[in-house]
């Protein structure tokens, strides 16, 4: 197979190029203190055995979505949600909208929405004498996602 080309450095994405919003009960709030965001789909499989076969196969049976975020301490959004839940017993509907947008890349932008986010771990208060800046880690699950806008199928130019 001949060399079809490769991604040029100018089209790689800077990790910080983009925006993240939390959508709480339909209201958008910029995650201004976001340092890191990661969401994943884990493919759930089950065993599939057949009499007479020496191999054991796997069959896809579903997906499990989860993620994590690191934010600088002082971003009050998630602690407010926790306080509201403690006070009312009602956890608000939360979605995350993440946009990768590096104007230097010809790959364009991508926007993904994560629906029905459940925050699994929300730090309440922290102190750390060894930290230059305080950060908190938040773990979450979600029930669905949608790609609102995809990257271009390939960059405008490939290396040869």
């Amino acid at each position: 197979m001949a060399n079809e080309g490769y991604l040029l450095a100018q089209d790689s994405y800077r990790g910080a190029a983009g925006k993240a919003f939390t959508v709480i009960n339909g209201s958008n709030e910029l995650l201004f203190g976001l340092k890191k965001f990661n969401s994943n789909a884990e493919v759930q499989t089950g065993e599939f055995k057949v009499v007479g076969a020496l191999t054991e196969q796997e069959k896809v049976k579903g997906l499990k979505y989860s993620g994590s975020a690191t934010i600088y301490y002082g971003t009050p959004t998630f602690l407010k949600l926790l306080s509201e839940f403690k006070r009312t017993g009602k956890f608000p509907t939360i979605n995350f909208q993440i946009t990768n947008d590096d104007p230097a890349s010809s790959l364009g932008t991508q926007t993904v929405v994560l629906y029905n986010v459940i925050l699994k771990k929300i730090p309440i208060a922290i102190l750390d004498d060894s930290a230059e800046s305080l950060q908190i880690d938040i773990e979450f699950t979600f029930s669905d996602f949608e790609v609102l806008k995809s990257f271009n199928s390939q960059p405008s130019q490939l290396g040869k």
Side-chain angles (χ1 to χ4, degrees), residues 43-46 58-63:
V43 177
Q44 304 287 302
T45 62
E58 295 277 322
K59 181 176 180 174
V60 175
K61 63 180 188 173
L63 298 171

mmCIF file of all heavy atoms in Angstrom, residues 43-46 58-63:
data_model
loop_
_atom_site.group_PDB
_atom_site.id
_atom_site.type_symbol
_atom_site.label_atom_id
_atom_site.label_comp_id
_atom_site.label_asym_id
_atom_site.label_seq_id
_atom_site.Cartn_x
_atom_site.Cartn_y
_atom_site.Cartn_z
ATOM 1 N N VAL A 43 -17.251 -0.093 25.850
ATOM 2 C CA VAL A 43 -18.063 -1.099 25.175
ATOM 3 C C VAL A 43 -18.227 -2.284 26.122
ATOM 4 O O VAL A 43 -17.251 -2.887 26.557
ATOM 5 C CB VAL A 43 -17.409 -1.537 23.846
ATOM 6 C CG1 VAL A 43 -18.226 -2.629 23.181
ATOM 7 C CG2 VAL A 43 -17.241 -0.341 22.906
ATOM 8 N N GLN A 44 -19.474 -2.579 26.456
ATOM 9 C CA GLN A 44 -19.796 -3.700 27.334
ATOM 10 C C GLN A 44 -19.961 -4.954 26.484
ATOM 11 O O GLN A 44 -20.665 -4.927 25.471
ATOM 12 C CB GLN A 44 -21.093 -3.425 28.092
ATOM 13 C CG GLN A 44 -21.074 -2.137 28.898
ATOM 14 C CD GLN A 44 -20.210 -2.262 30.117
ATOM 15 O OE1 GLN A 44 -20.419 -3.117 30.953
ATOM 16 N NE2 GLN A 44 -19.208 -1.397 30.213
ATOM 17 N N THR A 45 -19.313 -6.035 26.881
ATOM 18 C CA THR A 45 -19.409 -7.282 26.129
ATOM 19 C C THR A 45 -19.831 -8.426 27.041
ATOM 20 O O THR A 45 -19.714 -8.337 28.265
ATOM 21 C CB THR A 45 -18.058 -7.648 25.466
ATOM 22 O OG1 THR A 45 -17.082 -7.839 26.486
ATOM 23 C CG2 THR A 45 -17.604 -6.569 24.497
ATOM 24 N N GLY A 46 -20.303 -9.475 26.429
ATOM 25 C CA GLY A 46 -20.653 -10.696 27.148
ATOM 26 C C GLY A 46 -20.026 -11.889 26.457
ATOM 27 O O GLY A 46 -19.695 -11.831 25.270
ATOM 28 N N GLU A 58 -16.777 -12.970 22.040
ATOM 29 C CA GLU A 58 -17.374 -11.852 22.761
ATOM 30 C C GLU A 58 -18.460 -11.247 21.891
ATOM 31 O O GLU A 58 -18.322 -11.164 20.670
ATOM 32 C CB GLU A 58 -16.329 -10.774 23.068
ATOM 33 C CG GLU A 58 -15.230 -11.200 24.007
ATOM 34 C CD GLU A 58 -15.628 -11.104 25.463
ATOM 35 O OE1 GLU A 58 -16.340 -10.155 25.837
ATOM 36 O OE2 GLU A 58 -15.230 -11.996 26.230
ATOM 37 N N LYS A 59 -19.532 -10.823 22.527
ATOM 38 C CA LYS A 59 -20.617 -10.155 21.812
ATOM 39 C C LYS A 59 -20.874 -8.814 22.483
ATOM 40 O O LYS A 59 -20.946 -8.732 23.710
ATOM 41 C CB LYS A 59 -21.882 -11.010 21.856
ATOM 42 C CG LYS A 59 -23.033 -10.378 21.113
ATOM 43 C CD LYS A 59 -24.244 -11.274 21.087
ATOM 44 C CE LYS A 59 -25.346 -10.570 20.319
ATOM 45 N NZ LYS A 59 -26.506 -11.415 20.119
ATOM 46 N N VAL A 60 -20.988 -7.777 21.684
ATOM 47 C CA VAL A 60 -21.275 -6.443 22.223
ATOM 48 C C VAL A 60 -22.705 -6.429 22.733
ATOM 49 O O VAL A 60 -23.641 -6.844 22.042
ATOM 50 C CB VAL A 60 -21.072 -5.353 21.141
ATOM 51 C CG1 VAL A 60 -21.493 -4.002 21.664
ATOM 52 C CG2 VAL A 60 -19.611 -5.328 20.687
ATOM 53 N N LYS A 61 -22.876 -5.977 23.985
ATOM 54 C CA LYS A 61 -24.211 -5.933 24.571
ATOM 55 C C LYS A 61 -24.646 -4.523 24.983
ATOM 56 O O LYS A 61 -25.784 -4.321 25.341
ATOM 57 C CB LYS A 61 -24.308 -6.887 25.751
ATOM 58 C CG LYS A 61 -23.394 -6.561 26.900
ATOM 59 C CD LYS A 61 -23.565 -7.562 28.026
ATOM 60 C CE LYS A 61 -22.780 -7.116 29.253
ATOM 61 N NZ LYS A 61 -23.042 -7.940 30.408
ATOM 62 N N GLY A 62 -23.738 -3.563 24.925
ATOM 63 C CA GLY A 62 -24.144 -2.205 25.274
ATOM 64 C C GLY A 62 -22.957 -1.282 25.484
ATOM 65 O O GLY A 62 -21.807 -1.643 25.233
ATOM 66 N N LEU A 63 -23.261 -0.090 25.956
ATOM 67 C CA LEU A 63 -22.256 0.942 26.213
ATOM 68 C C LEU A 63 -22.431 1.493 27.612
ATOM 69 O O LEU A 63 -23.551 1.552 28.132
ATOM 70 C CB LEU A 63 -22.397 2.089 25.217
ATOM 71 C CG LEU A 63 -22.200 1.758 23.746
ATOM 72 C CD1 LEU A 63 -22.593 2.946 22.874
ATOM 73 C CD2 LEU A 63 -20.756 1.365 23.485
#
